[in-house]
Amino acid sequence: MYGSFAYDLVRSDFVKLISLFGALFFLSYQIIKMQGWNFKLLAGLGILFRLIFLWATPNLSQDFYRFIWDGRVLLQGYSPFLIVPQDYLQNPSLYGITISQAQELFQGMGNPSSGNFTNYPPVNQLFFAVAALLSGKSIVGSIVVLRIMNLLADVGILYFGRKLLKRLSLSPHLIFWYFLNPFVIIELTGNLHFEGVMVFFLTVSMLFLQKGKWFLSALFLGLSISTKLLPLMFLPLFLQWFWNKQRTFKKVLKPLLLFYAATLGTVLVTFLPFISYPFIENYLATNALWFQKFEFNASIYYLVRWIGFQVVGWNIIATAGKVLPAIVMVFILFWTFFKKTAHLKDLFTSMLFVISVYFLLSTTIHPWYVVTPLLICIFTQYRFPIVWSGVVMLSYYAYNKTNVEEHLGLVALEYAVVIGFAVWELCFKKKTNSQTPSLHPQNT
């Protein structure tokens, strides 16, 4: 099935896509339930399934073309944050560099990537440059190098995540709900999205935090932020963690400030080679686009958009794209000051609900975004992101035709299942737990 998914699937064939994925998800669920105690078997299967994709060209996302483009630009000493592929193709001599297979990469990445500045942070760019260095002018070679990087990140999550689960007195085999999840294998190893690298750094950071090595924790958290900016929203949540460790304002202030300084200092160091006024202007504008211009697989935002059409008669994404992030910030601050974090599992729980609220209010949720709440939930008592990792693939129906066209009924079904399961976990799970199938491996 993985071989068919990797080498014999076209994204527009939704029936085949969802059938293969549904079967893989069910079989993976059964394998984890029956063999959850068998670490070597499940680890070997997880690696084997990823290796099947090694030579495959990603078939569900064209983002990898932009990864290769950025890597080749950076390798020539030019900032990828200062070049738009479309502009380069119109006047290559203006930039003083030659990008191999520029036309092929440009056509492959498509819109909106080809018409905008890159929004991938510096650590991501470093991986792209390494792929360009090791693969030369081969697109397939770049794909293989990027894929090995993603595979190694997942193996790192398996290793460090298992250690962290043990230190939290949780079943170490819970990590297979991430490592053996076909959603993770397909979206990260298969389609080369770097959320796995981001959550690898986050996992190592949390392991060091649990050990009391907060400086190393801060460094890895900074690397996580510089891979994808998403973990920035977790920073305020560490206030409660440090407060519960020290209990007095005087004692908590110094280690907390040093933690934040080390984290943000790491981020600053990674951005430093690129910082200039044009970079700041381009980067902020590009990231704002995702909130105020693009919409895909959203939940609450689609309800807000519908209300906007009823009230004012047009799409209010420009306004909603500013208001909804502000609501998320208010929620984060509320959770920071009013939710106690006495244990690392409480901190993970806070992260899970903060990112879940953020995603529910976002205008764009691509399937691979769910990787972050999926990994975080393993260190908590909640499992709704595992369900989400299954039903989020319904969003690929949008590519069933020539133009991207979502089926709002399927979007509604996706979020009804996820929110319904989350509500059940929050409100009813303790009462009905004995009557429902567990998402924990047996015999652990």
Side-chain angles (χ1 to χ4, degrees):
M1 289 180 181
Y2 277 119
S4 178
F5 214 109
Y7 299 97
D8 189 35
L9 176 67
V10 179
R11 184 172 62 175
S12 59
D13 191 350
F14 178 73
V15 174
K16 182 175 181 178
L17 186 157
I18 206 67
S19 299
L20 278 173
F21 179 79
L24 286 168
F25 197 87
F26 173 77
L27 291 174
S28 298
Y29 172 81
Q30 293 298 330
I31 290 172
I32 296 172
K33 280 186 64 179
M34 294 185 294
Q35 296 290 325
W37 55 273
N38 195 335
F39 174 80
K40 290 183 179 179
L41 173 64
L42 297 190
L45 287 175
I47 294 172
L48 174 63
F49 295 154
R50 285 165 170 82
L51 288 175
I52 290 172
F53 286 84
L54 189 59
W55 298 100
T57 300
N59 52 14
L60 299 186
S61 170
Q62 64 268 40
D63 289 353
F64 70 96
Y65 286 108
R66 186 57 186 261
F67 302 165
I68 298 171
W69 174 284
D70 283 0
R72 292 182 178 180
V73 170
L74 183 57
L75 195 62
Q76 296 191 57
Y78 199 94
S79 172
F81 299 103
L82 303 180
I83 184 170
V84 175
Q86 182 175 281
D87 296 342
Y88 175 87
L89 265 294
Q90 292 175 352
N91 190 3
S93 60
L94 183 65
Y95 297 91
I97 59 175
T98 301
I99 301 174
S100 303
Q101 301 164 302
Q103 187 66 43
E104 185 176 349
L105 294 174
F106 172 80
Q107 292 176 346
M109 69 181 76
N111 285 318
S113 182
S114 61
N116 290 285
F117 293 100
T118 187
N119 67 331
Y120 300 108
V123 171
N124 246 354
Q125 297 292 344
L126 175 62
F127 287 117
F128 301 161
V130 170
L133 176 65
L134 297 179
S135 62
K137 298 181 180 180
S138 170
I139 291 178
V140 174
S142 295
I143 291 171
V144 172
V145 175
L146 291 170
R147 185 157 284 138
I148 291 173
M149 291 174 178
N150 275 279
L151 191 156
L152 292 175
D154 275 353
V155 172
I157 290 171
L158 173 65
Y159 178 77
F160 291 107
R162 191 165 179 261
K163 289 174 69 90
L164 183 55
L165 284 166
K166 289 180 179 179
R167 294 185 70 90
L168 296 177
S169 300
L170 296 170
S171 169
H173 299 289
L174 286 171
I175 196 64
F176 288 113
W177 290 112
Y178 174 90
F179 192 70
L180 211 59
N181 192 322
F183 161 74
V184 173
I185 295 171
I186 290 167
E187 289 294 358
L188 302 188
T189 305
N191 293 308
L192 301 180
H193 297 295
F194 271 70
E195 269 70 14
V197 176
M198 175 192 71
V199 295
F200 163 72
F201 287 130
L202 180 63
T203 302
V204 177
S205 171
M206 298 301 283
L207 178 61
F208 279 125
L209 189 67
Q210 201 280 332
K211 292 181 177 181
K213 299 178 180 180
W214 59 264
F215 182 73
L216 288 174
S217 173
L219 293 181
F220 278 94
L221 182 58
L223 291 175
S224 181
I225 294 170
S226 290
T227 304
K228 297 279 185 175
L229 298 180
L230 193 64
L232 265 175
M233 71 175 65
F234 298 147
L235 281 181
L237 303 176
F238 288 88
L239 173 62
Q240 284 282 0
W241 166 264
F242 280 90
W243 175 261
N244 279 282
K245 290 297 179 182
Q246 303 295 339
R247 291 292 182 180
T248 64
F249 179 78
K250 185 177 180 180
K251 290 183 178 180
V252 76
L253 187 61
K254 183 178 179 180
L256 179 65
L257 291 179
L258 288 175
F259 179 83
Y260 284 150
T263 301
L264 296 176
T266 302
V267 176
L268 179 61
V269 167
T270 62
F271 273 93
L272 206 54
F274 305 100
I275 289 180
S276 65
Y277 179 77
F279 158 75
I280 295 173
E281 186 177 39
N282 297 341
Y283 199 65
L284 292 177
T286 302
N287 280 283
L289 284 174
W290 298 106
F291 293 99
Q292 300 174 26
K293 295 290 184 181
F294 304 131
E295 49 190 27
F296 181 79
N297 193 38
S299 55
I300 292 175
Y301 161 70
Y302 279 169
L303 296 176
V304 172
R305 184 183 67 177
W306 179 82
I307 294 172
F309 274 116
Q310 307 309 308
V311 175
V312 299
W314 61 77
N315 192 335
I316 59 172
I317 185 172
T319 301
K322 297 176 182 178
V323 174
L324 294 177
I327 295 174
V328 173
M329 287 303 303
V330 171
F331 177 80
I332 292 173
L333 293 175
F334 173 83
W335 200 275
T336 296
F337 291 104
F338 295 99
K339 180 65 176 178
K340 292 184 178 181
T341 306
H343 192 274
L344 194 65
K345 284 185 281 190
D346 299 327
L347 181 56
F348 273 117
T349 300
S350 296
M351 289 179 174
L352 178 60
F353 281 98
V354 161
I355 196 170
S356 297
V357 168
Y358 169 68
F359 282 167
L360 288 175
L361 294 176
S362 293
T363 59
T364 302
I365 297 296
H366 290 296
W368 53 91
Y369 292 7
V370 181
V371 165
T372 307
L374 171 65
L375 179 72
I376 292 174
C377 84
I378 291 170
F379 303 99
T380 75
Q381 63 178 316
Y382 300 102
R383 300 291 177 260
F384 65 88
I386 297 178
V387 176
W388 199 354
S389 71
V391 295
V392 73
M393 300 299 281
L394 292 171
S395 64
Y396 279 109
Y397 178 87
Y399 303 99
N400 197 34
K401 300 178 181 179
T402 305
N403 298 320
V404 177
E405 184 178 339
E406 292 186 89
H407 190 300
L408 294 183
L410 290 178
V411 175
L413 174 62
E414 172 193 340
Y415 286 103
V417 171
V418 174
I419 295 173
F421 194 89
V423 170
W424 171 76
E425 286 198 296
L426 285 166
C427 302
F428 306 109
K429 185 176 181 180
K430 290 183 178 179
K431 298 178 182 179
T432 62
N433 190 50
S434 61
Q435 301 175 8
T436 55
S438 174
L439 283 178
H440 292 270
Q442 295 177 355
N443 303 324
T444 58

